[in-house]
Amino acid sequence: MARPLPQISARPDAPWFTLLNALRDAGHTGVKEGCAEGDCGACAVVLVDGMTAPARPRAINACLTLAAAVADRPVVPADGLGGPQALHPVQRAIAANGGSQCGYCTPGFVAAIAEAAHRTDWVHEGDLDDALSGNLCRCTGYRPLREALRATAGSRPNDVLASLAATTPRPASVSAPSPRGGFWAPATLEELWWIQRDHPDAMRVAGATDVGLAINLHGARPHAVIALDRLPELRGMDADADRVVLGAGEPLADVEAFTRTELPVVARMLRMFGSRPIKMRATLGGNLANASPVGDLAPVLLALDAHLVARSPRGDRTIAMDDFFVGYRATALAPGELILHASIPRPRPGQRHGAYKVSRRREMDISAVAFAGRVSVDANGCVIEARLAYGGMAATTARARATEQALLGRVWGPDAATAAGASLDRDFTPLSDVRGSAGFRATLARNLLLAFAIETEHDDFVALPALPTATVVTR
Amino acid sequence: MSRTETAHLSAALHATGEALYADDCVPPDALHATLAIAQSAGGRLLAVDLRAAAVTDGVVAILTAADLKARRTIGPIRHDEPVFTDAEVATWGAPVALVVATTREAAMQAASQVVATVEGSPLPPDLASADDAGIYLTDPHVITWGDVAAAEASAAIVFESEVETPAQDHFPLETHASWASVSADGSVHVVASTQHPTEMAREIAAVLGLPEALVRVEVPRMGGGFGGKESQSTPMGVWAALAARHTGRPVVVRFDRRQHMGWTGKRHPFRARSRAAFDATARLVSHTVDLVSDGGASLDLSGPVMDRALFHLDAGCFTPNGRFTGRVARTSRPSNTAFRGFGAPQGLAVTATVLQRAARHFGLPLEEVWRRNVYTEGRDVAPYGQVIEDPRGAAVLARVCSQSDIEELRREVDRFNASSVYVKRGVGVAVATFGISFTNAMLNQAGAVVNVYTDGSVRVHHGGTEMGQGLHTKVATLIAARFGLPIGRVIVADTDTGIVPNTSATAASSGTDLNGAAAMHAADAIAERLATVAATSWGVDPSTVRFEDGSLHSAVGSRSFADVAQAAWVQRVPLSAAGTYATPGIQYDRVAGRGTPFAYHTFGAAVVEVEVHGLTGEHRMRRIDIVQDCGRSIAPLIDRGQIEGAFIQGAGWLTTEEVRYDGLGRVTTLGPSTYKIPSAGDVPAHFQVTLLPNADAPRVVGHSKAVGEPPLNLAVAVPAALREAIGAFGPGEPILGLPASPERILAAIDAVRRG
């Protein structure tokens, strides 16, 4: 028999306590610590997320999830899906097929594949691997795990996840003060403003995928935490003829699904962004507010000339992406201010656009260089406007202004990109680090611009094929 | 028992999260211990300041070298690793104290406040500087045969090559963990994640000053080992036992991922300087290779790793003349250790590179050069003098070429490359001939105990450990088949040095060969007794009794296995037996460089197609075809899993995985965010693995062959394919640094384009 749902203790005195440790302390030792940095997925469990209607199973990394943020919500580890004598169909598909060897990663794969069993949004072969992008296995070589995925994906089993999806309500607000701080999860912005007023130093987290790293690896122990993941005001995605509006609190997996049809250039970058379990918790707003020098979404929004709407108790204001990053991990947001949504102009017909990312491994890796571009041409094909945004080349995501200038007036195509690319050396002085040397980064920056020009010499945008060899699509 | 689709015995437990590992069954009252390290790459340790740590909330005890009352050092071959450093700091991560606290959080917090004062200079940080400085851990091991000068004089071409192979982190999903408790009588019980419980028990006994009989190490299962838990799990048990005795409470020591990656050894990086001579028909006529490996700070298993590298420099190719020398350099890096393949992949990679140069020079497909050089009847003497029996390299190669339709594949690749500017494809081929046995003959022994119960159920204890490789499943399959029982009637117990002592490490791919044979000897003894009991009741000759379908059968009748077991018990016939096994016929004279170090060889071949992007240096494997000689496979599903997993692990070593060190020899890739093992998307949809049919190995248990390490070697086909693809970008000879990251591939393409 499967075990009953875990009882997760919230511990308001330790709001930094992770779901992984809470589950292991509660005897759910099938949830493993493989890395404590959200890369290996050995701790993956399924959260049934009532923020969507109907509620939606999401495989998430327990190591990067705050226990307090989900203590009152249904969390299903592998042991809750089936027991050794009564296997869940996903467990059976893995077990019978040679999908487990040492078994340490297996419960996490079960969580990921069980989530996939309830998915309906398959688009192409590549999505199947996306379902496994957050799980590492060192034993099997993945072939049997992929077969188990293919055998069960989208099968909608009548299981505990299905019944929880039908019955899980939108999570209510949480207020759990402690002598040293506490944990709050407001369910309206109005509530948030009052909590912020009383606890101005509280740390605000969305999916906690970056804060979780700070807790696990760098000893961060925030004693006052406000979770933003129950705020309906931050949700919602909308598109009209001119713009696409993405709620800052939308999980990136949902943004990816929405933009596949509505704004494919965003989806193209998100496909290579993090892993699916990370994207189930990480949000658009968190990614931007975090201001990582390589935050892969930022170059896309910058190139597309997006603007952000930020809200505070005093009202709303608009911040252009061009003005948003003000320094290394610093943004134009005022204290207490919150990104409400991003508003992205749809590329007009004829506007060339693309998004690229090179990393050591295609899946779940941080880029050496990320790049996005949008180029407008006149009737003769000459460049009249260029927005070229790079991540990994400077302390912040930044535009290549000199290169943009050098493109103006040239006939868009590989020759223009090659000629203008020489200016990248004036725009950037990249660093050498674990992801690549300065010389490699400089070469990639030039080559990605060239690839963009090859891809879009005759097309506005080119989609990535299933199972791409590279981030660029050029023969 | 049919040898078809036996799944891993623990598969249902794995899939439900109910399989227990060492850290899952820690007693609730256990204390948590963690290391304080010197925070220095090397020098003399002058002082350790424990004051701040000692007053941290929750700290129960802090152990240092002053608490060592018996042996103060450990090590699998040479005892050159201090349990706690008290003099020389040889590497970053040198343990100066063990902080024991009520919670892991408190122990980590306190350990970070221990301050060690170190003065002096560290060892060289890498192989090249140690080699330049002449700092080594071993004397050279030399294998010389034939007449190199004469062979080179008559050769058509001589290639000089320098080949470097990189480090690799084992990255078992389960990090090192052990916990210990001490009874009132002083006996020590340890539950550990280790491939070598006996060595852990011996070292605990030596360090605690106890008789070995008082120390019992138990291994439930490991969440992956890959060699990383052969020698380097030992100190975990020693520290836990010391702390348990000191505090009187159970103590758990677990490394988190950063500690594990920062403080433990890797696959040995190697540098090879090779001179290879070929005749006009592309056959090797001589090969001279100087190997240097980076052993890290202490000897660990570096000697035998170098030996195996030397034994596999032949790459399974007949080489009539040559000289192989190997020496281990000492560096400030964490001591490098066993890793699946144990030097063989590093040796094979050298010669595979040379064969590819020859293929290019002679204008031959790579598979043809392999075909002309692999051992065949009559061309079957290895450099160390052993005759390679029943060589099957040509057979697996021919089979994989036809399975992959390599000729058509090459035509397709040529067509694609002719029409593509920025993307090129390449085909790589490799043959792996792998010697089976520990190269130290003493280690090739095993023990087992088989118990039959009166209801006909069977319990097997053997000395091997389960790390995911399916050893217990294979042993259960063998024993079930011996008794004619369904596999569900056979329980394989957790490994326990109190029941089967003096075991060898579960390593060298030999787990099933050794432990399976020992268990079979025990089962044979019981089966003979049961046959006698049944035969007597029937009045037939015991040798005519067959065990099948849960029963014993003779010409005059059948009785269920349980029935006969019950009858044997009533007749006071023992239903328990111990069995042992020692591999016959192996010996090696290291000074002479001659002998028969291996019981037999396995053979495998692979064909890989890759696609490379010339603007980004990214690549993808498009197809993998493998044919592997597993003898008569005991459990084909498990063998296939070993082959697939080993190959992908090898591919990771040569492509996405890169251990990075700083200028002090300190590891800077401390987690999967910076150290990238292959993920699901790196594996091509076409991944076809075939076991060589009709491949009985009569002298091995179940007529099977070992499989754990050999297929990892086949991954040298991946850089071979990459080089072919890179070579399609221009006129130059493709020289590819490893691991083949996008950065290195892009640099190689650039060099090829320039000519």
Side-chain angles (χ1 to χ4, degrees):
Chain A
M1 285 296 291
R3 296 202 207 181
L5 289 190
Q7 297 298 309
I8 303 162
S9 71
R11 292 189 55 183
D13 62 312
W16 41 266
F17 200 65
T18 63
L19 176 60
L20 166 63
N21 288 328
L23 288 170
R24 286 190 65 83
D25 286 354
H28 295 271
T29 54
V31 185
K32 305 297 190 192
E33 179 180 308
C35 69
E37 53 184 55
D39 271 74
C40 80
C43 66
V45 294
V46 182
L47 167 72
V48 181
D49 179 9
M51 286 302 291
T52 59
R56 176 168 177 196
R58 297 182 185 274
I60 62 170
N61 292 304
C63 72
L64 298 183
T65 303
L66 304 183
V70 294
D72 58 332
R73 303 168 72 179
V75 169
V76 186
D79 66 29
L81 289 166
Q85 313 305 325
L87 296 177
H88 183 277
V90 164
Q91 292 169 329
R92 193 175 314 119
I94 292 174
N97 197 24
S100 77
Q101 287 186 24
C102 84
Y104 208 79
C105 71
T106 317
F109 272 93
V110 167
I113 299 176
E115 186 255 323
H118 289 274
R119 268 176 88 173
T120 52
D121 63 336
W122 305 115
V123 177
H124 48 56
E125 184 83 352
D127 285 345
L128 286 167
D129 285 330
D130 180 50
L132 300 182
S133 61
N135 296 79
L136 295 176
C137 170
R138 192 53 153 167
C139 295
T140 63
Y142 299 103
R143 194 265 318 155
L145 291 161
R146 287 164 64 173
E147 285 184 6
L149 173 68
R150 279 180 174 73
T152 56
S155 61
R156 314 291 296 275
N158 184 18
D159 60 2
V160 61
L161 300 180
S163 53
L164 284 169
T167 56
T168 299
R170 177 182 285 262
S173 71
V174 174
S175 175
S178 79
R180 294 180 65 183
F183 176 82
W184 297 270
T188 66
L189 274 180
E190 195 56 31
E191 266 184 81
L192 172 67
W193 305 140
W194 286 95
I195 297 165
Q196 285 193 169
R197 192 198 68 162
D198 295 342
H199 305 279
D201 296 330
M203 175 183 279
R204 299 184 304 178
V205 304
T209 52
D210 208 60
V211 170
L213 287 181
I215 291 167
N216 292 338
L217 305 186
H218 308 303
R221 293 292 180 267
H223 284 282
V225 171
I226 305 171
L228 306 176
D229 64 342
R230 302 184 189 200
L231 295 169
E233 294 92 337
L234 303 189
R235 299 298 176 101
M237 292 180 283
D238 206 4
D240 63 21
D242 299 324
R243 311 191 76 80
V244 173
V245 177
L246 304 172
E250 285 290 341
L252 292 174
D254 300 30
V255 174
E256 184 179 4
F258 180 78
T259 55
R260 263 187 211 134
T261 50
E262 294 300 335
L263 194 58
V265 66
V266 172
R268 179 168 168 173
M269 182 60 94
L270 282 175
R271 192 164 148 199
M272 295 178 289
F273 182 112
S275 66
R276 187 165 173 83
I278 292 289
K279 287 183 281 194
M280 283 294 190
R281 289 293 291 165
T283 63
L284 180 72
N287 183 243
L288 295 174
N290 195 31
S292 161
V294 289
D296 295 335
L297 212 45
V300 187
L301 268 57
L302 201 50
L304 295 183
D305 199 12
H307 67 258
L308 308 177
V309 173
R311 181 171 288 181
S312 71
R314 292 192 176 83
D316 292 355
R317 67 177 176 127
T318 296
I319 309 172
M321 275 302 293
D322 273 333
D323 303 323
F324 186 68
F325 299 116
V326 297
Y328 178 69
R329 291 199 175 261
T331 72
L333 286 175
E337 208 173 21
L338 196 69
I339 305 172
L340 201 60
H341 60 248
S343 175
I344 310 169
R346 237 186 237 290
R348 292 188 308 277
Q351 258 183 342
R352 315 308 214 269
H353 55 288
Y356 311 88
K357 162 179 177 171
V358 177
S359 48
R360 190 177 286 273
R361 189 178 68 197
R362 266 179 303 274
E363 293 178 328
M364 189 54 190
D365 199 357
I366 292 171
S367 44
V369 175
F371 164 64
R374 190 186 74 180
V375 168
S376 310
V377 297
D378 64 15
N380 301 318
C382 294
V383 175
I384 52 174
E385 187 212 33
R387 297 180 64 89
L388 310 175
Y390 284 87
M393 296 294 286
T396 67
T397 297
R399 286 173 61 186
R401 305 267 183 185
T403 311
E404 290 174 357
Q405 280 296 316
L407 272 179
L408 295 179
R410 295 180 189 271
V411 176
W412 177 240
D415 292 344
T418 303
S423 299
L424 281 164
D425 288 345
R426 290 199 283 138
D427 285 314
F428 300 116
T429 311
L431 299 176
S432 294
D433 67 13
V434 61
R435 321 218 183 264
S437 70
F440 176 57
R441 285 194 157 106
T443 303
L444 278 183
R446 282 193 305 275
N447 287 1
L448 290 177
L449 178 60
L450 172 60
F452 173 41
I454 296 167
E455 277 186 20
T456 61
E457 189 173 8
H458 306 295
D459 297 298
D460 291 356
F461 172 74
V462 176
L464 268 189
L467 304 174
T469 287
T471 189
V472 300
V473 190
T474 60
R475 282 286 292 273
Chain B
M1 191 64 210
S2 83
R3 292 185 176 185
T4 49
E5 296 297 310
T6 310
H8 197 287
L9 283 185
S10 293
L13 293 174
H14 294 154
T16 53
E18 304 291 359
L20 294 179
Y21 302 77
D23 191 46
D24 296 337
C25 43
V26 178
D29 62 333
L31 298 169
H32 298 258
T34 197
L35 289 182
I37 65 159
Q39 303 280 357
S40 161
R44 279 204 68 76
L45 180 68
L46 300 181
V48 181
D49 183 346
L50 304 173
R51 285 170 298 179
V55 298
T56 304
D57 277 354
V59 169
V60 175
I62 302 179
L63 282 77
T64 66
D67 296 295
L68 300 171
K69 305 301 182 200
R71 181 136 65 71
R72 304 168 69 82
T73 55
I74 58 176
I77 293 171
R78 190 183 290 164
H79 295 149
D80 60 353
E81 296 167 20
V83 174
F84 296 115
T85 299
D86 59 355
E88 185 204 8
V89 172
T91 182
W92 197 275
V96 295
L98 185 76
V99 180
V100 190
T102 50
T103 65
R104 181 172 173 80
E105 171 99 0
M108 298 278 279
Q109 168 67 21
S112 70
Q113 302 193 38
V114 172
V115 181
T117 310
V118 180
E119 191 182 80
S121 50
L123 289 162
D126 56 34
L127 185 159
S129 44
D131 193 32
D132 288 346
I135 300 176
Y136 301 100
L137 285 161
T138 64
D139 295 329
H141 179 177
V142 183
I143 301 172
T144 307
W145 72 106
D147 183 343
V148 171
E152 286 191 358
S154 65
I157 177 102
V158 177
F159 296 106
E160 292 196 27
S161 313
E162 182 163 317
V163 177
E164 290 183 23
T165 52
Q168 182 181 26
D169 192 278
H170 305 79
F171 208 87
L173 267 289
E174 179 207 28
T175 50
H176 281 300
S178 288
W179 61 267
S181 59
V182 177
S183 304
D185 66 357
S187 66
V188 176
H189 176 219
V190 179
V191 176
S193 179
T194 180
Q195 293 172 242
H196 203 343
T198 286
E199 180 169 295
M200 183 184 278
R202 282 182 186 146
E203 297 293 67
I204 290 169
V207 173
L208 270 63
L210 293 173
E212 285 178 35
L214 269 187
V215 181
R216 188 159 72 89
V217 175
E218 215 182 331
V219 182
R221 58 169 58 72
M222 277 167 275
F226 314 115
K229 295 173 183 169
E230 180 171 350
S231 62
Q232 300 210 343
S233 51
T234 301
M236 307 297 286
V238 173
W239 290 319
L242 276 168
R245 185 166 73 174
H246 190 87
T247 61
R249 287 174 59 183
V251 175
V252 59
V253 185
R254 177 176 73 87
F255 280 172
D256 65 21
R257 181 60 61 188
R258 290 159 71 83
Q259 294 169 326
H260 189 114
M261 294 186 77
W263 301 345
T264 65
K266 317 297 173 200
R267 181 186 295 286
H268 288 70
F270 270 68
R271 189 191 63 202
R273 294 199 167 114
S274 144
R275 269 180 72 84
F278 289 81
D279 67 16
T281 66
R283 281 183 162 177
L284 264 169
V285 292
S286 82
H287 199 188
T288 303
V289 185
D290 280 315
L291 289 181
V292 184
S293 72
D294 176 352
S298 61
L299 183 62
D300 194 88
L301 296 165
S302 300
V305 168
M306 175 56 78
D307 296 347
R308 185 166 282 271
L310 293 167
F311 291 141
H312 289 79
L313 271 174
D314 66 346
C317 295
F318 178 63
T319 316
N321 310 283
R323 177 183 164 86
F324 295 160
T325 62
R327 198 165 192 193
V328 181
R330 187 178 189 211
T331 70
S332 65
R333 294 180 176 184
S335 190
N336 289 318
T337 190
F339 194 142
R340 199 178 200 174
F342 205 76
Q346 293 96 317
L348 173 61
V350 176
T351 306
T353 306
V354 170
L355 293 178
Q356 192 167 21
R357 296 191 70 187
R360 186 182 163 87
H361 172 81
F362 290 106
L364 293 169
L366 183 53
E367 58 274 23
E368 177 60 19
V369 176
W370 277 106
R371 193 188 66 76
R372 293 183 189 185
N373 282 284
V374 291
Y375 291 118
T376 50
E377 299 287 346
R379 289 166 49 88
D380 53 7
V381 183
Y384 42 89
Q386 179 168 359
V387 175
I388 309 296
E389 272 182 42
D390 191 8
R392 296 171 176 176
V396 290
L397 177 62
R399 215 169 167 94
V400 81
C401 285
S402 99
Q403 174 179 311
S404 61
D405 196 358
I406 195 165
E407 286 175 28
E408 177 55 26
L409 183 61
R410 287 194 178 282
R411 281 192 292 273
E412 261 177 50
V413 164
D414 289 344
R415 278 195 295 273
F416 178 88
N417 287 347
S419 70
S420 172
V421 179
Y422 297 105
V423 185
K424 301 289 185 187
R425 294 179 181 166
V427 176
V429 181
V431 179
T433 301
F434 193 85
I436 299 299
S437 291
F438 288 97
T439 52
N440 183 341
M442 157 186 95
L443 301 176
N444 295 286
Q445 56 173 319
V449 173
V450 174
N451 300 333
V452 172
Y453 296 84
T454 53
D455 65 350
S457 60
V458 181
R459 186 176 177 90
V460 182
H461 298 266
H462 63 79
T465 56
E466 176 62 43
M467 63 193 98
Q469 83 280 41
L471 169 61
H472 288 356
T473 307
K474 285 187 168 182
V475 172
T477 303
L478 287 165
I479 300 303
R482 180 66 185 88
F483 289 136
L485 294 172
I487 192 168
R489 297 294 285 168
V490 180
I491 306 301
V492 179
D494 293 351
T495 316
D496 187 336
T497 61
I499 296 174
V500 179
N502 308 321
T503 58
S504 290
T506 307
S509 306
S510 65
T512 301
D513 288 10
L514 300 177
N515 297 289
M520 283 297 273
H521 284 169
D524 283 342
I526 297 171
E528 280 165 28
R529 295 174 207 155
L530 292 175
T532 303
V533 168
T536 306
S537 73
W538 288 319
V540 302
D541 179 346
S543 70
T544 66
V545 174
R546 287 182 291 127
F547 291 74
E548 270 172 31
D549 307 324
S551 295
L552 281 70
H553 306 276
S554 76
V556 299
S558 296
R559 291 176 72 181
S560 78
F561 185 81
D563 184 33
V564 179
Q566 170 73 22
W569 178 71
V570 168
Q571 294 169 33
R572 296 181 292 171
V573 173
L575 289 172
S576 178
T580 59
Y581 179 73
T583 312
I586 46 181
Q587 54 78 31
Y588 181 73
D589 180 340
R590 196 171 180 280
V591 175
R594 282 288 177 283
T596 310
F598 300 117
Y600 63 93
H601 287 76
T602 74
F603 304 86
V607 172
V608 178
E609 183 196 11
V610 300
E611 181 170 285
V612 169
H613 205 291
L615 288 175
T616 63
E618 294 164 284
H619 79 277
R620 175 184 283 283
M621 284 191 278
R622 289 170 47 82
R623 298 167 63 94
I624 303 169
D625 279 279
I626 293 175
V627 174
Q628 181 70 33
D629 166 25
C630 294
R632 182 174 178 229
S633 173
I634 293 167
L637 184 69
I638 286 190
D639 283 351
R640 183 177 177 193
Q642 287 294 295
I643 295 163
E644 291 171 345
F647 183 88
I648 295 300
Q649 196 170 62
W653 169 49
L654 298 168
T655 58
T656 56
E657 297 179 34
E658 182 165 354
V659 183
R660 293 177 64 107
Y661 301 85
D662 67 10
L664 298 171
R666 174 170 48 163
V667 180
T668 59
T669 41
L670 297 175
S673 58
T674 49
Y675 186 76
K676 312 310 282 188
I677 70 168
S679 65
D682 295 319
V683 178
H686 180 99
F687 190 177
Q688 195 179 342
V689 170
T690 309
L691 308 189
L692 183 70
N694 307 318
D696 267 34
R699 292 196 286 114
V700 192
V701 67
H703 294 193
S704 66
K705 280 190 176 183
V707 72
E709 297 166 283
L712 188 141
N713 293 272
L714 293 172
V716 301
V718 179
L722 288 170
R723 282 186 214 106
E724 289 212 352
I726 291 164
F729 280 99
E733 178 171 3
I735 309 290
L736 176 63
L738 300 172
S741 59
E743 179 162 3
R744 291 199 182 83
I745 290 176
L746 213 48
I749 291 171
D750 191 43
V752 160
R753 283 194 176 124
R754 282 187 276 109

